[in-house]
Amino acid sequence: MTDISRRESVLAFDDRMATVDFRISHTAHITVDSEVCRSCTTRACLVACPAKLFVTTNDGGILFNYEQCFECGTCYAVCNNEGAITWNYPEGGHGVVFRHG
Amino acid sequence: MPDFEVVVVGAGPAGSIAALSLARLGHSVCLLERGPFPGSKNVYGGVIYGRILDELIPHWWEHAPVQRWITRRGTMLLTDHQSLCIDYRSTAWAQAPYNGATAYRPDFDKWLADEAVKAGATLVSSTTATGLVRTNRGLVGGVKTDREGDLMANVVIACDGVNSFLAKEAGLYPNFSKDHLTLGVKEVLALPRQEIEARFGIRSGTNEGADLEIVGGTQGIAGGGFVYTNLDTISIGAVLSLGGLSASKVRPEEVIAGLKAHPSLAPLVDGAELKEYSAHLIPEGGFDAMPEVVGDGLLVAGDAAGLCLAAGLWLEGVNYAIGSGKCAADAVHEAIAKGNFSKAGLVSYKDRLEATFVLRNHRKTRKAAHLLLSDRLQNRYPQIACDLLEQLYTVEDPLPKRGALTIGRALWKGSGLRIRHALRDGRDALKIYG
Amino acid sequence: MKIAACIKWVALRPDIDPLSGSVETDDRFSGVSAADQAAVEWALRMGEAWGASVTVATVGASIAESALRDALACGATTAIRIDIEHPLPSAAVGRELAAALADADLIVCGDWSLDRGSGSVPPFLAHARGAEQACGLVALSLDATGVVRAERRLDGGRRERLIVRAPAVLAVEGSTARLRRAPLGGVLSSARSSIDVRTPSTPNPAEPVRLVHARPFRPRTKIVDGPHGSVRDRSNALLGMGSTRTPPQRLVLDPEVAAEHILAALHAWGEIDDPASAEGQ
Ligand SMILES: Cc1cc2nc3c(=O)[nH]c(=O)nc-3n(C[C@H](O)[C@H](O)[C@H](O)COP(=O)(O)OP(=O)(O)OC[C@H]3O[C@@H](n4cnc5c(N)ncnc54)[C@H](O)[C@@H]3O)c2cc1C
Ligand code: SF4
Ligand code: SF4
């Protein structure tokens, strides 16, 4: 990261996500099997998910939150571990709603 | 008895135009969209090239929800602290029939879908197609949805975008891979109208606009960037190869932050307030990464068919989506007349694509993704070009001036690049852009 | 038996201009509140349980028909829109709905709408219909035909159990039910269903209270004393510098004696009354 981008991160990530409208479904459209992730060496999802929805847990697993997801598909495309991510679109009418896409 | 003659999945530009064309040809067609309204799930950079709409929606420019008409196009090379920009302006583009226009997709896609509804298509939104239904003869005969009840049709056109689960389910996308994908991340930043016009050198009080495509500046991740002007916002974003991104330590929003902080871009976006942050994948693999586009009872169009042209000078997908949607509709019309919905009956779709700009351009630019995402094009050539200009423009009296050739030769030697590679890149570039 | 549900089309994500305070709404980001959706769901459940017809009604502009169609797609029998472009006072809305739903035995409403809703339409509606009302319901269960057992929250965390018999107006909170997902067939047929559009019974209902003029909110001036003493004294006081204090002591005592010590110390610090006098009482 350059100095400049570090300065920029003053805009807290939560504030960044607060600019996006989500109609949250009551069921998760993406699930992550933390057990499978334990053996993952790339951890590509951590850096690649534009919504920063993957975080590591103390015990080396992955904690995933489905609510503020762009439904972009990056996570399953970069994940090499078969079975780690189960990916579906959310129920029709739910999920992200862009205003300036 | 099917519910409709045709089901089109996805109300993006590809789907809406397919539905519009079929409805005009007198067919019953259902346009299925998973978002609460068409466009709600869609993100792009921001410029639509509307020439392909001229015939489909005459005088579309009087009705489409446009932000600004592009009259200034720049292609910019960035290094850490330098930039080189080819800056073209034309007032001819400020008049009908125009060239490119910025627009928000939730506005544009909704408008296009409404046109399809006006033509007689049935739009069903808030409904996700979850799979294909096969008839007992093995043809695709409809889609399953996330509502109770399937939607049956003679033909399904999958316009479901870059992740096309329908094309994958049908086995048409065997080589879908992250290596053919890039992630687009974007920020929409608010500034007063006059301020945007002043910063981008746009004639004030007009709805003219600027478009900057950027090579480099993506912090070591192969990709690029863009800046577009809307009426009272700026769209700035980065396009990042998934391979490069997942191997890197830099997060997508940090790449945008880096672009915004670059000395030649910072003055454009300084002090602007974030209105929306967004992300979407782009199928950048080009011609060689395309799936099969015809199946039994199934056609694939737009991003779902990998028909997006991302080649440095160009970042175009909406026009290819529209073009392929139209070809799909015509092919289905022919199949309905013949009563043959198998692969053989639908195969004219492929020929129609080949006959138009859609596949011609993709064939011509098939090497683009590979060339553009190479280290040489991403980093080395921009560095040499910038250094060359820097030394040419730097006055070093009392030292005598050195000519461009002398400087160039020295820079080339220092770079360690091989002539053989440069020749090959030159040949490829000539094929793509020549 | 006839059941009805009342819903209101509202902006779900209004954009407020920070300078002018003007509110911008967008049809794509509008719909009905969770409470109104729950009202439709309860009406449908009653219809199913008691074999009753279900009418959904709204007072609003033509855009509101998309919400009515959603309810039809979910299984409502008929839909009525009372065609009024501009917002009306609650009493007038209640009267209009009462006139349109004159033959409904039970009417379910959302507890309040999202846009400045005061929750007063259901009581006005009940009044205009001359029916009983049960508002603020947080739980419902269906009993014999036309009978609902309900629970509502009262002030101070108390709850009240009610048995409501038709004719009545019920107002439910959004948490009581989630609107079902319409089947595909319902969605397709609702797009073609006709909606009964009615002109308002009183074209220009007079507003009982009319706002003539309002000044922007300006808090009153409050006079606050300036600080006393020099900067140094004040910072010393804040930091506790220069003040005398007894150094901490470490004592090893029997529990009983220790307790006395603690009480004496608390008394000395002014935390409690004299322990000796307290004992005497
Ligand atoms: C960052 C970025 C910048 C870009 N810049 C430009 C640009 O400046 N100019 C340009 O011309 N192009 C640009 N593009 C490319 C362009 O956005 C796409 O090529 C274009 O949107 C493709 O249109 P489409 O109709 O094929 O797919 P989409 O626009 O993706 O539409 C697909 C639709 O299908 C729906 N859908 C998906 N799955 C289902 C399902 N299972 N059931 C129901 N509905 C479903 C989606 O909700 C969506 O509405 C850019 C793309 C990105 C990501
Ligand atoms: S989701 Fe995939 S990439 Fe991420 S940690 Fe798990 S296995 Fe690794
Ligand atoms: S789909 Fe995109 S936004 Fe959602 S979790 Fe995956 S990478 Fe993140």
Side-chain angles (χ1 to χ4, degrees):
Chain A
M1 208 190 336
T2 65
D3 283 359
I4 315 146
S5 57
R6 223 174 248 135
R7 216 185 314 139
E8 237 285 329
S9 61
V10 174
L11 178 70
F13 201 82
D14 289 351
D15 293 340
R16 169 179 294 281
M17 295 308 289
T19 62
V20 194
D21 197 11
F22 294 97
R23 300 188 187 167
I24 297 168
S25 164
H26 56 277
T27 50
H29 59 290
I30 299 175
T31 53
V32 177
D33 186 342
S34 184
E35 287 309 313
V36 181
C37 295
R38 259 178 244 284
S39 65
C40 173
T41 49
T42 66
R43 304 259 151 169
C45 58
L46 294 185
V47 67
C49 168
K52 218 188 220 173
L53 296 179
F54 294 78
V55 288
T56 38
T57 55
N58 286 339
D59 59 348
I62 288 282
L63 185 69
F64 175 77
N65 256 316
Y66 75 95
E67 280 98 344
Q68 298 199 314
C69 169
F70 290 127
E71 302 152 32
C72 63
T74 303
C75 51
Y76 84 75
V78 299
C79 175
N80 292 329
N81 269 9
E82 191 73 29
I85 299 181
T86 315
W87 205 99
N88 283 297
Y89 286 126
E91 187 177 71
H94 293 80
V96 68
V97 184
F98 292 112
R99 282 162 304 139
H100 301 288
Chain B
M1 177 66 196
D3 303 289
F4 293 89
E5 285 177 278
V6 190
V7 165
V8 178
V9 179
S16 287
I17 288 298
L20 175 137
S21 310
L22 282 162
R24 284 201 190 145
L25 291 166
H27 301 296
S28 72
V29 44
C30 178
L31 180 58
L32 201 63
E33 169 56 46
R34 66 186 188 89
F37 57 87
S40 54
K41 301 285 182 185
N42 303 345
V43 178
Y44 80 145
V47 180
I48 288 164
Y49 299 96
R51 201 64 325 106
I52 180 71
L53 278 177
D54 290 357
E55 252 175 55
L56 291 161
I57 306 175
H59 293 267
W60 57 271
W61 52 83
E62 286 163 17
H63 313 288
V66 161
Q67 293 283 321
R68 284 180 185 273
W69 300 104
I70 298 299
T71 54
R72 177 180 176 195
R73 281 202 65 168
T75 300
M76 205 174 203
L77 305 182
L78 293 187
T79 74
D80 276 354
H81 66 287
Q82 301 155 302
S83 75
L84 188 166
C85 187
I86 299 169
D87 186 355
Y88 177 77
R89 305 180 190 214
S90 167
T91 47
W93 289 345
Q95 283 126 35
Y98 304 100
N99 180 36
T102 51
Y104 297 131
R105 293 290 297 280
D107 300 349
F108 183 82
D109 290 9
K110 173 150 195 313
W111 168 74
L112 215 52
D114 286 346
E115 291 292 314
V117 170
K118 271 194 229 158
T122 303
L123 172 67
V124 174
S125 39
S126 295
T127 307
T128 308
T130 52
L132 299 167
V133 182
R134 298 263 179 188
T135 64
N136 42 21
R137 289 171 40 231
L139 265 66
V140 171
V143 291
K144 296 184 201 119
T145 71
D146 65 343
R147 295 182 186 274
E148 198 187 303
D150 299 336
L151 195 56
M152 305 305 287
N154 292 326
V155 186
V156 172
I157 308 180
C159 302
D160 49 345
V162 53
N163 286 310
S164 188
F165 290 108
L166 296 184
K168 283 182 212 158
E169 185 188 326
L172 301 180
Y173 227 137
N175 60 346
F176 186 86
S177 136
K178 75 165 188 294
D179 302 328
H180 303 145
L181 295 171
T182 52
L183 171 66
V185 279
K186 173 170 112 167
E187 285 183 5
V188 173
L189 304 167
L191 276 179
R193 271 187 81 154
Q194 305 87 322
E195 187 65 28
I196 291 179
E197 285 152 10
R199 291 187 187 189
F200 285 83
I202 299 166
R203 289 192 290 183
S204 77
T206 66
N207 54 358
E208 296 173 16
D211 156 340
L212 284 177
E213 311 288 341
I214 299 163
V215 180
T218 44
Q219 312 201 21
I221 304 170
F226 55 80
V227 182
Y228 302 120
T229 54
N230 303 306
L231 211 52
D232 52 9
T233 63
I234 296 170
S235 299
I236 181 166
V239 175
L240 306 168
S241 76
L242 284 193
L245 176 63
S246 41
S248 122
K249 293 269 176 294
V250 188
R251 289 194 36 82
E253 75 280 3
E254 291 168 352
V255 178
I256 305 186
L259 283 174
K260 284 164 71 179
H262 192 279
S264 54
L265 296 177
L268 299 178
V269 297
D270 196 31
E273 181 207 352
L274 181 64
K275 287 296 261 190
E276 189 170 73
Y277 170 57
S278 54
H280 201 281
L281 288 180
I282 308 174
E284 248 198 71
F287 188 81
D288 297 317
M290 275 180 64
E292 277 297 322
V293 293
V294 185
D296 281 319
L298 179 73
L299 292 181
V300 189
D303 270 12
L307 288 168
C308 183
L309 184 66
L313 279 181
W314 304 303
L315 177 53
E316 301 170 18
V318 172
N319 45 343
Y320 290 93
I322 292 173
S324 57
K326 173 80 173 79
C327 290
D330 292 341
V332 168
H333 177 59
E334 195 183 311
I336 292 174
K338 288 189 298 192
N340 183 355
F341 306 111
S342 69
K343 193 168 172 174
L346 291 165
V347 80
S348 82
Y349 174 46
K350 194 95 203 257
D351 308 329
R352 287 168 198 277
L353 290 177
E354 293 274 7
T356 58
F357 73 104
V358 177
L359 268 189
R360 283 200 190 170
N361 290 355
H362 272 84
R363 194 183 285 284
K364 184 167 159 58
T365 57
R366 66 198 298 171
K367 291 231 159 76
H370 186 72
L371 176 67
L372 269 153
L373 298 181
S374 71
D375 172 52
R376 290 188 298 282
L377 221 83
Q378 287 277 317
N379 304 309
R380 314 298 278 295
Y381 299 152
Q383 188 66 58
I384 293 177
C386 287
D387 288 349
L388 177 73
L389 283 177
E390 180 164 306
Q391 297 189 22
L392 268 179
Y393 289 151
T394 308
V395 177
E396 291 190 288
D397 305 340
L399 291 179
K401 279 205 191 297
R402 293 187 299 161
L405 277 180
T406 324
I407 301 171
R409 217 175 287 129
L411 285 172
W412 183 261
K413 270 216 185 105
S415 74
L417 286 169
R418 297 279 168 80
I419 290 286
R420 151 165 77 84
H421 290 148
L423 286 177
R424 195 168 44 195
D425 291 345
R427 196 192 57 209
D428 287 348
L430 215 67
K431 270 204 198 126
I432 301 166
Y433 304 104
Chain C
M1 170 108 317
K2 287 191 156 83
I3 310 293
C6 303
I7 58 179
K8 182 181 185 188
W9 183 261
V10 292
L12 298 175
R13 195 181 162 127
D15 235 347
I16 298 158
D17 188 308
L19 291 179
S20 66
S22 70
V23 183
E24 296 242 335
T25 60
D26 182 334
D27 289 342
R28 296 170 300 176
F29 293 85
S30 302
V32 300
S33 66
D36 284 6
Q37 290 185 25
V40 174
E41 177 61 28
W42 277 112
L44 292 171
R45 288 184 194 175
M46 290 171 193
E48 282 161 0
W50 304 330
S53 71
V54 177
T55 301
V56 270
T58 188
V59 175
S62 58
I63 179 69
E65 286 184 9
S66 73
L68 293 178
R69 287 191 198 283
D70 288 347
L72 289 172
C74 288
T77 335
T78 46
I80 300 174
R81 179 171 70 86
I82 298 135
D83 185 28
I84 290 177
E85 286 283 333
H86 303 290
L88 284 185
S90 301
V93 175
R95 269 199 310 277
E96 293 298 337
L97 288 171
L101 301 173
D103 60 349
D105 300 293
L106 273 177
I107 304 178
V108 198
C109 303
D111 203 20
W112 55 66
S113 64
L114 278 177
D115 52 344
R116 305 178 291 265
S118 59
S120 54
V121 167
F124 276 120
L125 168 59
H127 172 76
R129 274 288 314 269
E132 296 296 319
Q133 53 172 297
C135 301
L137 303 183
V138 293
L140 291 87
S141 62
L142 307 186
D143 209 309
T145 303
V147 183
V148 177
R149 288 171 182 271
E151 201 172 297
R152 72 169 151 195
R153 225 190 320 252
L154 301 178
D155 291 348
R158 283 172 306 146
R159 296 206 165 199
E160 194 174 65
R161 292 231 172 91
L162 309 167
I163 295 178
V164 187
R165 286 172 209 283
V169 173
L170 305 161
V172 301
E173 289 198 357
S175 57
T176 53
R178 186 185 300 131
L179 181 58
R180 64 194 64 189
R181 196 155 165 74
L184 196 65
V187 174
L188 290 174
S189 63
S190 75
R192 291 185 294 266
S193 322
S194 66
I195 285 172
D196 178 1
V197 181
R198 305 201 180 164
T199 44
S201 53
T202 38
N204 284 311
E207 293 178 45
V209 179
R210 202 157 57 89
L211 182 67
V212 183
H213 175 70
R215 265 195 321 175
F217 172 68
R218 223 181 285 144
R220 274 168 200 248
T221 323
K222 223 191 273 173
I223 295 168
V224 182
D225 284 341
H228 297 288
S230 74
V231 174
R232 179 196 213 135
D233 291 347
R234 277 184 282 132
S235 50
N236 281 350
L238 274 177
L239 297 172
M241 278 159 64
S243 62
T244 51
R245 63 188 184 110
T246 31
Q249 293 171 280
R250 182 159 176 272
L251 303 172
V252 181
L253 299 168
D254 287 338
E256 227 159 281
V257 190
E260 264 164 39
H261 257 88
I262 294 172
L263 287 175
L266 287 174
H267 174 57
W269 296 337
E271 301 284 346
I272 57 172
D273 293 338
D274 186 357
S277 71
E279 218 162 280
Q281 282 171 0

